[in-house]
Amino acid sequence: MHNSGTSLFGLLKTKIKRAKAHSASLNLCDGWSFTTKLAKHPRGRIWLMWKLMIYEVDILRTTDRLMHSEVRYKGTGKRLYVTMVYAYSDMALRRNLWKEIVDIYNHTQGSWAVMGDFNNVLNKEDKIGSPVTMAEIRDFRQCVDTCCFEELKPIGAFYTWNNKQSGADRVMSRIDRVLVNIEWMIEPPTLVVHYMTEGLMDHSPAIINWENENQRNNRPFKYFNMWKHAKEELEHCQRQIQQNPSNQQLATKEQELGSKYMRAKQAANQFLRQKNKVDG
């Protein structure tokens, strides 16, 4: 951590009690500020630490499994939102977390990243050594789609967790992620997240870095693909309503998809405006 140049970071799955929190923070990073989730869990579980000379952090929401904050970079005054997540291992208990993330989405305007241990794979290929069911994926996928999240470009280790077993008993999965909203994706410079090897831990540490400018050429296609996909989802839902006009679930879904389509459309238009300014 000290050698990575990091100035803001989160620690997950901590086991430090309240009485030892301050002394532990001094040992980790003297001169930094920190906040924990000790009010919601006796061992904290989520810590957020930052350099006071670089960032100003305002904690907006804390629950048993997430910490949502507004971060201001003092050098430019730019503000962004960061949500640290440490999800339950039980699928049923994770559903409340997905609802909390969607609620934050509905009340957030601006660049936003949700990161941490989701304890859930997003795709079948995200786990080896143990089967993945669609039921396991469905709720997390719905949350990601509703919030119009994109995964921040990953480099380094693909599997971010393993059970430290050997041979046929070894299970590896991609349950740690950095998810960002449309507003984050259109704001230069682009970031990448580097998942390091885990060493003696079972999770891979992740470091977010600036991406090289010449690696950003495919960004316009991403925005317009998101716009096209959101439009197709809305049209499909509206065709279903034509067949079943009194279905209230479809009516609710149409509103959600309409909002998703508008945000994707606005993001694509905003990107074009910014690109025209640069090219002009």
Side-chain angles (χ1 to χ4, degrees), residues 36-52:
T36 75
K37 207 163 59 58
L38 282 164
K40 298 291 183 178
H41 193 286
R43 293 185 183 271
R45 290 316 208 189
I46 298 176
W47 284 46
L48 186 64
M49 306 186 74
W50 63 94
K51 286 185 178 179
L52 282 169

Side-chain angles (χ1 to χ4, degrees), residues 34-263:
F34 78 100
T35 188
T36 75
K37 207 163 59 58
L38 282 164
K40 298 291 183 178
H41 193 286
R43 293 185 183 271
R45 290 316 208 189
I46 298 176
W47 284 46
L48 186 64
M49 306 186 74
W50 63 94
K51 286 185 178 179
L52 282 169
M53 293 185 64
I54 298 178
Y55 292 110
E56 179 181 293
V57 176
D58 184 18
I59 305 302
L60 304 178
R61 183 188 301 200
T62 303
T63 71
D64 59 339
R65 288 290 154 167
L66 67 76
M67 181 184 291
H68 179 58
S69 59
E70 182 184 48
V71 178
R72 184 178 73 87
Y73 177 52
K74 292 184 177 180
T76 62
K78 178 178 173 57
R79 297 178 183 271
L80 50 89
Y81 298 92
V82 176
T83 304
M84 299 296 303
V85 169
Y86 176 49
Y88 284 107
S89 57
D90 183 276
M91 182 171 67
L93 294 176
R94 286 196 297 270
R95 292 193 180 110
N96 283 336
L97 174 61
W98 310 145
K99 291 177 183 177
E100 289 167 356
I101 291 173
V102 171
D103 186 60
I104 293 173
Y105 161 77
N106 288 328
H107 295 88
T108 298
Q109 294 291 330
S111 300
W112 176 37
V114 183
M115 62 188 75
D117 177 4
F118 293 90
N119 248 317
N120 211 124
V121 296
L122 196 55
N123 309 289
K124 281 194 170 184
E125 60 269 24
D126 288 346
K127 183 190 286 187
I128 57 173
S130 179
V132 177
T133 65
M134 289 308 298
E136 182 182 350
I137 296 174
R138 186 181 302 116
D139 293 336
F140 187 25
R141 169 59 65 185
Q142 184 176 354
C143 172
V144 169
D145 289 345
T146 299
C147 298
C148 306
F149 282 139
E150 288 285 327
E151 184 168 7
L152 196 62
K153 181 179 176 181
I155 59 174
F158 179 80
Y159 299 107
T160 63
W161 174 88
N162 74 82
N163 63 354
K164 292 297 186 182
Q165 301 297 310
S166 59
D169 295 326
R170 191 172 185 83
V171 178
M172 303 177 70
S173 63
R174 183 174 185 79
I175 57 176
D176 303 272
R177 280 185 156 83
V178 178
L179 303 172
V180 295
N181 68 351
I182 294 171
E183 288 84 352
W184 184 293
M185 292 296 293
I186 65 176
E187 287 289 336
T190 307
L191 303 175
V192 294
V193 54
H194 180 202
Y195 295 99
M196 305 165 66
T197 52
E198 74 275 13
L200 298 177
M201 301 179 290
D202 54 356
H203 286 266
S204 295
I207 298 178
I208 298 175
N209 295 313
W210 304 117
E211 183 180 56
N212 191 297
E213 183 70 22
N214 60 20
Q215 295 176 312
R216 297 172 55 192
N217 296 332
N218 66 343
R219 292 179 75 193
F221 299 103
K222 177 172 290 188
Y223 305 133
F224 289 106
N225 284 339
M226 290 167 59
W227 181 9
K228 181 174 180 291
H229 180 65
K231 183 174 183 290
E232 289 172 349
E233 283 186 313
L234 176 61
E235 291 174 345
H236 177 69
C237 178
Q238 290 172 338
R239 285 193 292 269
Q240 289 181 309
I241 291 175
Q242 289 290 328
Q243 302 299 319
N244 192 358
S246 61
N247 189 310
Q248 186 57 45
Q249 287 184 327
L250 286 175
T252 301
K253 185 177 180 180
E254 181 188 26
Q255 291 181 339
E256 294 174 352
L257 292 175
S259 176
K260 179 179 177 180
Y261 171 57
M262 285 301 299
R263 292 187 73 154

